Structures are given as C-alpha cells and as structure tokens.
Amino acid sequence: MNEVENPYLPKIAILDRVVDEIKDVRTFYWHFEDQNEQLKFKNFLPGQFAQISVFGIGEFPASLPPSPTEEETFFTIRTVGSCTDAFHKMKAGEKFAVRGPYGNGFKMDSYAGKNLIFVAGGIGLIPLRSCIIYALENRQKYERIQIFYGSRTPAELMYTNDLKKWGQSAGIECYLTVDRATDGWKGNVGVVGSLFKKPNVQMAIKNSIAFVCGPPVMFRFVIKDLLEMGFNEEDIVSTLERYMKCGIGKCGHCCIGSAYVCVDGPVFTYKQIKKLGEDI
Amino acid sequence: MKARIIEKDDVLKIVDLLREKYDVIAPFLITGRDTYFDTVTDSNRKDIKLHLPNPFYPPKRYVFPHIERLMRIKSNNNNIDIIVESDVKPLAIFGIRSCDLAGIGHLDRFYLGNAYRDCYYEARRKKLFLVNMVCTEVGVDITDDCFCLCTDTGPAAKELFDLQLMDLGKVYLVVAGTQLGEEFLSNPMFKHATEKDIELRRQILSEVRKSFKDTTSWFSATVRYISRGSVLEETWEEIGRRCLECGGCTYVCPACTCFTVTDRKIGDGEIERMRIWDSCALGGFTRMAGGFNPRKAVHDRRNRRFYRKLAHYFIQRELSMACVGCGRCAAVCHGDVGMPSVVEMIRRATAKLDAK
C-alpha cells in the first residue's frame, strides 16, 4: 500500500518548545522529523489547518497560526478535550505526528489592492494571525490593514508580542478592547464591535475584506454591525470549526449543507455560511 | 451481446472456479427473512442461495469494512514507528444484487473520485470480482420494500459487474461486464446463448418491472424540493419525531460512507488506529470537543442526512443520489422514516404548499 499515497498517514513531528499564551492556551513550536516533509508542509496557505496525532488518544484538527512566510511552524492550542489535554502535557523533544495542510485557506492573492479588516475575539486570533503576518510581509499588495481584537480580560489577550509590534508599526492600525478592565487596563472596554465607531477609528468599508473569527456570540454581533455599516456579505470571510476525523472529505462529520468544511472550507464568506444553514 | 448460458445445476461451478483465485462471498439463508453474506467454504458451499431476500447487512463491508485498522503505531523511548500493513486478498462476491452494486459504484465515486483517494478502499476495490444476480423472483428477491426502479439501479444492473447472472427458468443467462469477466466466460461450462434466451430475458425483466409495489418513491419531486430548500421545518420536525436515533438506517445503507477514527492500545507501547462506521443519526456525530454541537435536535440531523443523500449539489458531485433503492432502511426503521417514507412525506407536504 505504501506506493500509493496514504492520505491518513501522519508524519512524525518533534516538539521544539512550548510557550504559555493565556489560561489553557499554549503555543507549540515543532518541526517534522523528515526535512522533506517540512519543506512540503511549508507551502500552506493562511487559513488552512492540519490534523495533529497524539498516539493512543487520537487526532484533532488545528488552525495554522504561522504565516507561510515565517521560519518556524507552530500550533496554538486550547485544552478542550482528551486530545488537546494530552497534547498540552507534551514536553519539548517529545514526538507526535501531523498531517496536512488541509482546506481551502484564505484567498490572500485575490484580496490584493483591497483594505484588510481583521476582527477577532479571544482565540479567534489564532487563524487570523497567519493572514495578518502574511499581509504584513506582502504589505505593498494591500491598502489599509486594520486589526480589531477583543478578549474578556487583558490577561486573555493572545500573542502579546505580536500585538505590541502591530500597535507600534506604521501601516497597521491595531485596536484592542476587553470586556472587563483589570490589571490597570487603560484601553477600550467593551465588545469588539464597540471599537468600530470610536472617534479615533476610521473604519475602511469600501473596497474592504473583513476577516471575522471568534466565539459564536461575538460573530453574530460583529456580522450585524458590519452589514449595517455597508459591508457586502461576500466581503466578510471567516473560518468554520467542525468535528472532523479525516480532514480530506471522507469521514462525513463536518458535512453541512452542501459543503464538507474540511475540503470546501474551512474558509467561507458570510454569504456561503448563511446558505449552509447551521450555527457557526 | 456475448451472452452465455449455464445449466442450473452447474451454477455453483462458477463459485468453484472463482475459489481457485479468490476468497468467495455468497448469500445464505437461515430462515424466512433472515439472510446473510458469508465466506464460502467446502462445507457451506451447498447452502448458497441465489433467490432469497437481500441480506440486511450489506456486502459494502467487503470493500469498506465495518471496523478496519488503518495503522499500527509502536512507541519505544520516544521512537515512533508507524506501520501500515496491507493484506488484502482477491475477493469475489457471488450473487451481489444490482442495488448493492450501484452502492459500490457510489462508493467508488466518493472515495476515489474527489480530491483525495482513499487508499484502503482502493486496495480492496481493485481486487474485487463481482458476480451480479438479477432479481427476478417477486416476493423472494424483490420484497415490498424494494424501490430500485425509482433510483434506476435495478432490477438488472447495467454496469459495474464482472459477470451478471439471470434466472431464465431452466438455465441461467450469464453476461460479462468486464474483460476479466469475458475471460472467465471462455470456460467450456458456459454455452452460447441464443436469440431466444435474450428475448426471454427481455420478457422476464419486463414482467418483473411491473411487479414492484405501487407505492414507489417519487424522488424527482423530493430532490427538487430538498435542493431548493423548500421543505417545511415542520416536515423535518415530524420526521425527527419519528426517528428513534438508533442509526440502523446508516448501518444497513449500501451508499453511506461516514466513519469515525479511534486509537486503541493493543500491547506494550503499541496502539492501533481503527476506523469504524459512524452514523449521522447519533447525537454525538457532530459534537465538538468542549461540548458545542451545531446539530442539536433530531430533526436537524435527519434534515442533514436526507440533504446529503438527495440534494442536487451532491448528485452532481457523485453523479448519483446516495440512495440505491435497496429498501433496507425502510425495513429496519422502527419509526417508518426510511427513504421511501421520507420522500413521500416531503413530496406530499411540499406539493400541498406548492399548490397554494
């Protein structure tokens, strides 16, 4: 069977180091044992995902937070179930396995010449980080880049090093907000949508693509705000999460409406999401 | 047509000939409606039955096993070995019905036809020899649940078989559908068929087609209603109310493709990764880690099942509905929401709406 490519066969990966992000969320830097696999994998697109194997526990899908333009490969994972719990217990030097990349990814090239508006809530920044870094690496391709990011508390803001950089760089507008101000937070307090109409914010609406990722409640409200502000449904893009076993359109778990999220998604426009007819 | 005939008493010689090269699967009768597919051995060979109700547990499992090992993983001191073994033997299914054959055709297009090829399915499929049996005995081969006429998959398959057998009364008519089948027919036990035999085949099929139950399945209207999303929520709710969430319909379906994957320990530092048939009827089918389940209500899950099977989008993609008219779901469903009933419920409720 080995001469035919086996799409279910994961490739051995080695964990390099683990960094705590926020409560229950860690970033795992890793590389493939086989250098060729690493090179093949590095062709991924922002918005794609991979299947991570923790042998004996199982396999789970995870977004790819790095941009393909970055050197290192890493996952940012929240503990939510048996696989992610087991993954969190892994230490640098230990082995696991990865398959992928899978899914359609964001069509970053087709957004050239447009304003990119990133709206993220909580760990919704994980898949969007890839696009943001990619867009910054290809800065001349895009018009304005605006980031709106909110979390429950200041301690739950992710990727703080990146946020600091984005806050200080010219050519990016990065706005942060928290639901509850603690730890001497001096920034905005309120949901992500509350940032859109702040006097210091000039939101780009015409010729813009809005990337929206976050918890379902946030998603619903942000969509409502964006539509009211004049965004087209096809100019709002997001990624869907579903229970998945294979990642290659066979196991059937992620099938909604006329799409298999793993191969037809996980990136969909809001117009498509509405048609699929299931909760985000 | 290079049709052949074989004497009734000689038909099991086909099995003997196949057994020289293949493990042979054939249908057996216990009693009444109780039938099953099993491997032919020297001792059960005489019990093979060609006319009998189609077994509920479909022969799909010989290409897509109910439980199948994908790989073994050996760990030792942070050294991980992934071992994929292939021990697929050539297999022949003797007496597979036209509906089940169409099911395999659907699986072919699904597992091998999209962006990724399922190598486990492919390995089995490549070594499969199919001897199709045309259903001709009304009340025995063809039961009240059968509706292959409506799905255009029977009673006589038009493709996918290596050999096709049909009972002409005194003899069996044998036709080859592939090169491999053609070669098989060169054996001297097959005699050339005459024009008369062919005419008899036509007559018998014509009669058989007339003897299907009146209340057949009106797919075209239902495909249209489902595809354009005009089925009422209350119709889905009614279907959901009747569903007992047993998953039976999916396990007997020759065209269902869903599976789950699970790891289990098999020894010291060794685990195996298995895939197992899964069912969209079950509540946990879409439940994600952390507990969020985008499909909560039963009717929502039923809606998805029938959408997946009948929506125009998927028919275009797989070139067929994911229903082959075998009637198994209708026979096993405790709540009478097998495919024909659902098609009928949707057609009636939605047509009424259309008329308004």
Side-chain angles (χ1 to χ4, degrees):
Chain A
M1 195 178 288
N2 283 326
E3 59 272 19
V4 187
E5 189 163 352
N6 183 340
Y8 300 100
L9 189 66
K11 308 288 165 25
I12 303 293
I14 299 166
L15 193 58
D16 295 324
R17 62 181 201 281
V18 183
V19 176
D20 280 330
E21 289 288 343
I22 57 172
K23 187 176 176 291
D24 295 338
V25 181
R26 284 180 187 156
T27 294
F28 300 83
Y29 293 84
W30 60 277
H31 68 275
F32 280 109
E33 191 170 50
D34 181 344
Q35 186 59 27
N36 289 327
E37 292 299 334
Q38 186 77 5
L39 289 173
K40 264 197 275 172
F41 188 84
K42 284 296 297 278
N43 291 325
F44 69 87
L45 304 167
Q48 286 193 302
F49 69 96
Q51 291 281 119
I52 304 176
S53 276
V54 186
F55 291 120
I57 313 292
E59 222 177 10
F60 64 98
S63 311
L64 294 169
S67 157
T69 56
E70 285 178 293
E71 202 45 51
E72 275 189 294
T73 38
F74 56 91
F75 293 113
T76 302
I77 307 291
R78 182 161 67 109
T79 54
V80 276
S82 53
C83 285
T84 48
D85 283 350
F87 197 57
H88 265 242
K89 292 196 180 97
M90 290 189 62
K91 296 188 179 68
E94 287 190 311
K95 288 178 183 170
F96 60 105
V98 177
R99 289 191 288 137
Y102 295 126
N104 57 357
F106 290 99
K107 295 188 193 110
M108 295 306 288
D109 287 337
S110 73
Y111 305 148
K114 289 181 187 283
N115 303 307
L116 306 183
I117 316 295
F118 296 98
V119 188
I123 60 167
L125 190 59
I126 298 174
L128 291 190
R129 185 192 175 279
S130 177
C131 310
I132 295 172
I133 302 285
Y134 181 87
L136 294 176
E137 284 290 325
N138 297 276
R139 188 66 192 83
Q140 72 292 349
K141 271 200 202 169
Y142 306 102
E143 295 295 314
R144 292 170 68 186
I145 296 180
Q146 294 185 312
I147 301 166
F148 300 91
Y149 178 43
S151 70
R152 272 178 294 199
T153 63
E156 284 166 277
L157 287 166
M158 307 247 325
Y159 301 129
T160 42
N161 285 340
D162 290 320
L163 291 179
K164 211 181 279 169
K165 244 185 266 167
W166 299 340
Q168 289 160 357
S169 314
I172 327 167
E173 302 156 59
C174 181
Y175 305 100
L176 306 180
T177 183
V178 295
D179 292 347
R180 271 178 292 119
T182 53
D183 313 327
W185 175 258
K186 295 206 177 62
N188 190 70
V189 177
V191 296
V192 176
S194 70
L195 289 170
F196 300 160
K197 285 173 187 154
K198 289 276 161 190
N200 62 330
V201 174
Q202 293 285 309
M203 197 160 170
I205 297 166
K206 285 235 161 64
N207 190 36
S208 296
I209 294 287
F211 299 70
V212 185
C213 281
V217 185
M218 171 239 155
F219 184 81
R220 276 196 292 277
F221 281 101
V222 166
I223 294 293
K224 196 165 153 270
D225 290 343
L226 293 177
L227 292 176
E228 276 171 12
M229 291 164 80
F231 273 89
N232 292 321
E233 289 178 348
E234 55 266 38
D235 293 332
I236 302 172
V237 289
S238 184
T239 70
L240 288 188
E241 268 181 30
R242 281 296 178 270
Y243 185 56
M244 283 177 196
K245 282 296 181 184
C246 73
I248 57 170
K250 306 294 183 205
C251 81
H253 290 86
C254 70
C255 182
I256 50 174
S258 28
Y260 278 71
V261 173
C262 62
V263 287
D264 301 317
V267 176
F268 294 98
T269 66
Y270 178 61
K271 196 176 178 181
Q272 292 171 318
I273 291 173
K274 241 175 56 173
K275 245 188 163 170
L276 295 176
E278 219 171 64
D279 285 353
I280 183 144
Chain B
M1 197 192 242
K2 288 183 195 159
R4 302 286 194 282
I5 52 166
I6 187 165
E7 294 299 321
K8 277 210 153 163
D9 289 344
D10 289 343
V11 76
L12 288 186
K13 284 186 182 165
I14 297 177
V15 174
D16 299 334
L17 204 56
L18 285 170
R19 283 182 69 200
E20 290 173 10
K21 278 190 186 170
Y22 300 89
D23 281 347
V24 180
I25 305 298
F28 295 92
L29 173 74
I30 298 172
T31 174
R33 182 66 187 83
D34 220 353
T35 57
Y36 64 102
F37 282 100
D38 203 354
T39 307
V40 178
T41 62
D42 290 342
S43 60
N44 70 10
R45 175 194 172 280
K46 62 181 189 313
D47 302 322
I48 296 172
K49 275 260 187 307
L50 277 171
H51 288 296
L52 76 175
N54 202 4
F56 285 130
Y57 196 22
K60 169 177 91 176
R61 68 184 184 279
Y62 297 110
V63 258
F64 172 41
H66 203 145
I67 300 177
E68 177 176 32
R69 178 193 281 170
L70 298 178
M71 60 198 77
R72 272 189 309 132
I73 299 108
K74 275 185 165 173
S75 315
N76 184 11
N77 284 332
N78 204 25
N79 190 30
I80 298 176
D81 280 321
I82 305 176
I83 305 139
V84 179
E85 291 152 323
S86 178
D87 57 344
V88 177
K89 291 192 197 114
L91 191 80
I93 306 179
F94 178 76
I96 188 171
R97 305 303 178 87
S98 303
C99 51
D100 290 336
L101 206 55
I104 288 178
H106 182 81
L107 300 186
D108 287 348
R109 292 186 294 272
F110 178 78
Y111 286 123
L112 308 176
N114 294 315
Y116 296 89
R117 289 174 83 82
D118 188 305
C119 55
Y120 297 90
Y121 179 85
E122 190 168 17
R124 289 200 155 76
R125 182 66 179 94
K126 271 187 179 161
K127 294 191 176 174
L128 195 62
F129 188 93
L130 295 161
V131 184
N132 171 225
M133 173 70 183
V134 177
C135 296
T136 47
E137 279 201 15
V138 179
V140 182
D141 307 340
I142 299 166
T143 67
D144 281 357
D145 297 317
C146 294
F147 57 100
C148 59
L149 275 191
C150 313
T151 52
D152 195 26
T153 50
K158 297 181 203 96
E159 54 175 3
L160 290 164
F161 53 82
D162 293 288
L163 290 179
Q164 183 177 63
L165 297 178
M166 181 168 154
D167 191 340
L168 295 185
K170 292 197 175 93
V171 294
Y172 279 104
L173 187 78
V174 193
V175 185
T178 59
Q179 187 61 40
L180 214 56
E182 206 69 68
E183 285 161 22
F184 200 89
L185 288 187
S186 62
N187 189 291
M189 70 183 175
F190 299 103
K191 306 276 183 299
H192 282 274
T194 61
E195 281 298 318
K196 255 184 167 170
D197 295 319
I198 307 297
E199 177 56 23
L200 189 55
R201 176 187 200 268
R202 206 191 56 74
Q203 278 176 18
I204 293 173
L205 276 179
S206 168
E207 281 308 307
V208 167
R209 286 201 184 93
K210 283 182 216 154
S211 55
F212 276 77
K213 206 172 71 159
D214 290 346
T215 49
T216 48
S217 212
W218 296 66
F219 276 101
S220 57
T222 303
V223 164
R224 192 168 71 244
Y225 294 140
I226 284 188
S227 302
R228 71 180 187 206
S230 57
V231 182
L232 290 172
E233 192 61 12
E234 64 191 51
T235 310
W236 290 123
E237 282 168 12
E238 173 60 22
I239 292 165
R241 263 196 295 280
R242 293 209 213 158
C243 174
L244 301 182
E245 305 174 68
C246 68
C249 51
T250 52
Y251 292 114
V252 297
C253 181
C256 270
T257 52
C258 293
F259 60 84
T260 186
V261 178
T262 186
D263 286 2
R264 66 181 181 196
K265 291 198 165 48
I266 48 172
D268 201 21
E270 190 170 348
I271 62 143
E272 58 180 357
R273 179 161 288 176
M274 311 295 288
R275 77 162 160 200
I276 305 168
W277 290 359
D278 205 347
S279 170
C280 60
L282 308 176
F285 188 70
T286 49
R287 189 177 54 234
M288 295 194 277
F292 175 63
N293 194 340
R295 285 177 220 172
K296 285 173 210 85
V298 195
H299 69 263
D300 200 18
R301 299 204 288 276
R302 299 292 74 191
N303 173 337
R304 296 291 177 232
R305 170 177 168 79
F306 291 103
Y307 187 88
R308 176 65 186 83
K309 286 197 172 289
L310 301 181
H312 180 245
Y313 174 86
F314 288 111
I315 297 176
Q316 270 184 318
R317 191 159 122 162
E318 267 107 39
L319 307 172
S320 58
M321 298 188 295
C323 174
V324 295
C326 71
R328 288 184 176 95
C329 57
V332 302
C333 184
H334 298 285
D336 190 18
V337 275
M339 183 60 86
S341 301
V342 165
V343 164
E344 188 62 13
M345 284 168 80
I346 290 175
R347 188 182 66 87
R348 285 213 175 133
T350 321
K352 229 184 270 170
L353 195 76
D354 261 6
K356 271 181 196 165

